[in-house]
Amino acid sequence: MGLTEESNQSMATDFILMGLFSHTGPHLVLFSLVAATFTTGLLGNTVLLFLISTESKLHTPMYFLLTDFLQGGGSVSFGGYAAQMFFLMLMGISEIVLLSLMSYDHYVAVCHPLHYPMLMRHQVCLLMVGTSWFSGVLVASVQTSITLHFPYCASHTVDHFFCEVPSLFKLSCADTSAYELALSVSAVMILLLPMSLIAVSYGHVLAAVLHMHSAEARHKAFTTCSSHISVVGLFYAAALFMYMVPGTYHSPQQDNVVSLFYSLITPTLNPLIYSLRNREVRVALVKVLGRGGFRSKR
């Protein structure tokens, strides 16, 4: 191997993210829209977490489990890219596992309401949360270390707006086909196993609802589960497209749009889906606002 080839296959020290708006015209307008959406989601989730922590009536398994660019591109160091990739995967896998475990919570609430306090006691909730975080750390550690082990000797420009595993494969000068296949297979396991638990849980819930004679009971059960199903649909559909469909079947532009769903749209909709449609949260919000107004008058 000559000196030129050795230098070409040297480890990259920087990557350049093209950003979300590199292929569009009105950058400022689109940036303002995304920034406003992100701010709305951040404020909404902050308010929701505050209500859950301050209102004792919301200290239930359902809510306990829940708590838990103006320019076209920017340079990101190799270490920065690795860190962002790790934490993104950590949060994503943890959410995948936690969403599936939350379906069990709804199954117990609808199908075994009398045993709910025992089956969903505090220790069980802690175990669920711990399992989700452990799964995220394990998968993120393995996949990040393997992905960054490949040499990146071609262009260091990543046609994406954040650091994600599939977008980096296209830059490697090594043959990544075997690992891409392994990633797809692992994605099947990581996504389909939780989806199976969700399907089984809601299959039992549906059967229980169909046997209910009271229209009010059926409506209450539907309201309890519909919020979670909405989040699962948005989050899982995007994740399935990104990690189970081979990269040759979707373009970088499609990746950007799909990634928006689980990185921005779903977190923004969480407060709306989980709180405004829930009477207990609305009552807690009115109570907190009432306390604030009373104190200001005093």
Side-chain angles (χ1 to χ4, degrees):
M1 181 179 292
L3 292 177
T4 303
E5 294 183 35
E6 290 180 357
S7 61
N8 283 341
Q9 294 189 10
S10 60
M11 183 62 69
T13 56
D14 292 290
F15 292 101
I16 300 175
L17 290 175
M18 289 296 292
L20 182 61
F21 313 119
S22 57
H23 304 285
T24 57
H27 291 182
L28 184 59
V29 174
L30 291 175
F31 174 82
S32 301
L33 179 62
V34 172
T37 304
F38 176 80
T39 304
T40 302
L42 185 63
L43 291 176
N45 282 288
T46 301
V47 171
L48 184 58
L49 291 174
F50 174 75
L51 289 176
I52 293 172
S53 62
T54 56
E55 190 60 38
S56 59
K57 291 184 178 180
L58 298 181
H59 293 177
T60 62
M62 175 181 177
Y63 299 107
F64 177 83
L65 294 175
L66 178 61
T67 60
D68 218 12
F69 293 68
L70 291 174
Q71 296 179 351
S75 177
V76 180
S77 67
F78 186 82
Y81 199 104
Q84 187 178 133
M85 184 187 300
F86 173 82
F87 285 107
L88 173 71
M89 199 172 302
L90 165 64
M91 301 300 293
I93 297 299
S94 298
E95 183 168 1
I96 286 173
V97 176
L98 194 59
L99 284 174
S100 67
L101 294 176
M102 288 175 69
S103 68
Y104 173 76
D105 167 59
H106 293 156
Y107 156 73
V108 175
V110 175
C111 300
H112 303 283
L114 297 180
H115 296 91
Y116 186 84
M118 180 186 67
L119 294 177
M120 290 301 298
R121 57 191 181 275
H122 189 68
Q123 292 86 344
V124 175
C125 294
L126 289 175
L127 179 62
M128 288 182 172
V129 174
T131 300
S132 66
W133 282 111
F134 175 77
S135 302
V137 170
L138 179 62
V139 174
S141 300
V142 173
Q143 293 196 357
T144 300
S145 60
I146 294 178
T147 301
L148 296 178
H149 176 72
F150 290 107
Y152 297 96
C153 54
S155 171
H156 296 162
T157 301
V158 183
D159 198 354
H160 207 31
F161 62 98
F162 62 86
C163 307
E164 199 167 16
V165 171
S167 62
L168 196 59
F169 283 149
K170 301 179 178 67
L171 305 183
S172 178
C173 55
D175 182 12
T176 61
S177 57
Y179 179 61
E180 289 187 60
L181 177 61
L183 181 64
S184 298
V185 172
S186 65
V188 170
M189 300 296 293
I190 293 170
L191 291 172
L192 290 190
L193 287 178
M195 287 179 65
S196 300
L197 176 60
I198 293 172
V200 171
S201 297
Y202 282 118
H204 286 286
V205 169
L206 179 60
V209 170
L210 292 177
H211 285 85
M212 291 178 179
H213 301 290
S214 169
E216 181 181 354
R218 287 196 298 269
H219 180 266
K220 184 176 181 181
F222 175 77
T223 302
T224 300
C225 301
S226 60
S227 299
H228 181 253
I229 294 175
S230 301
V231 175
V232 167
L234 289 171
F235 189 85
Y236 272 71
L240 286 171
F241 180 84
M242 280 296 296
Y243 287 93
M244 289 184 61
V245 178
T248 54
Y249 293 95
H250 46 89
S251 66
Q253 290 74 29
Q254 291 174 325
D255 291 346
N256 285 342
V257 173
V258 172
S259 297
L260 274 178
F261 276 90
Y262 57 78
S263 64
L264 184 64
I265 304 300
T266 302
T268 302
L269 292 178
N270 271 344
L272 176 64
I273 293 174
Y274 280 114
S275 60
L276 297 181
R277 299 181 67 253
N278 187 286
R279 182 178 178 276
E280 291 179 341
V281 177
R282 292 198 301 269
V283 170
L285 179 60
V286 171
K287 185 183 297 185
V288 170
L289 292 177
R291 292 173 186 168
F294 177 75
R295 289 173 182 173
S296 62
K297 290 180 182 180
R298 292 185 62 182

